Amino acid sequence: MMDAANKPGVPTLFEWAGGTKVFENLFDKFYDKVLADDLLEPVFKHMSPQHRLHVAHFVAEVLGGPKTYSEQEGSHFIMISKHLQKYLTEAHRKRWIELLLQTADEYALPDDPEFRSAFMAYLEWGTRIAVINSKTNEVTEPTDVPMPEWGWGVVGGPYIP
């Protein structure tokens, strides 16, 4: 059975969202909100100047974009390592998603149900993994653990009226 990702003419989530600049701008504006947030600011106040860009490139790659993160900036193993001993809570996770979705709305990321469903599914999965990894002091994955790949899932591609 052919899934949406293999259908001719169906864009990746990355393509449908608008490409690299969209993700770079989205995460730049998002992290402005994070640093102004009472709950999240203490967690992120010491992030490197490159953090915003690395996260943008990581998410873009996961959603079908270029391998900028894995070929130039890090790996999935390194991303997992960044979360060790951060002791993230469910409140942190929910607020992070809330602010990112708020920024996605303000920045006019596609709002069709298929895109938002897939985007939200990845955010749910990724943030739950981050919380789990934040409560340990070692990565249990191999150093060459592959980058996640997230697609349209079962919905069949973007909604086009």
Side-chain angles (χ1 to χ4, degrees), residues 47 49-50 84 90 95 108 116 121 137 142-143 148 155-156:
M47 68 182 167
Q50 299 81 25
L84 299 181
E90 182 63 11
R95 186 67 177 144
R116 286 302 178 103
N137 60 1
T143 56
V155 297

Side-chain angles (χ1 to χ4, degrees), residues 22-35:
V22 167
F23 285 95
E24 290 174 352
N25 291 333
L26 173 71
F27 281 95
D28 192 43
K29 291 177 183 179
F30 163 68
Y31 278 108
D32 286 345
K33 290 182 187 309
V34 166
L35 292 176

Side-chain angles (χ1 to χ4, degrees), residues 79-119:
M79 184 60 78
I80 293 169
S81 300
K82 299 287 185 188
H83 294 91
L84 299 181
Q85 296 182 313
K86 298 287 187 201
Y87 302 101
L88 302 173
T89 66
E90 182 63 11
H92 290 123
R93 188 189 78 77
K94 286 181 177 178
R95 186 67 177 144
W96 195 92
I97 289 176
E98 178 186 2
L99 291 178
L100 185 54
L101 292 176
Q102 193 180 91
T103 309
D105 288 342
E106 291 167 4
Y107 191 61
L109 232 55
D111 64 357
D112 58 277
E114 285 76 7
F115 175 81
R116 286 302 178 103
S117 173
F119 187 60

Side-chain angles (χ1 to χ4, degrees), residues 10-68:
V10 174
T12 64
L13 295 168
F14 167 82
E15 292 165 336
W16 189 250
T20 300
K21 281 293 175 205
V22 167
F23 285 95
E24 290 174 352
N25 291 333
L26 173 71
F27 281 95
D28 192 43
K29 291 177 183 179
F30 163 68
Y31 278 108
D32 286 345
K33 290 182 187 309
V34 166
L35 292 176
D37 185 80
D38 292 341
L39 179 62
L40 295 179
E41 186 271 344
V43 176
F44 290 94
K45 67 183 174 186
H46 298 298
M47 68 182 167
S48 75
Q50 299 81 25
H51 182 84
R52 298 166 188 240
L53 206 54
H54 290 324
V55 174
H57 293 162
F58 182 89
V59 172
E61 184 172 335
V62 168
L63 299 182
K67 298 185 180 308
T68 305

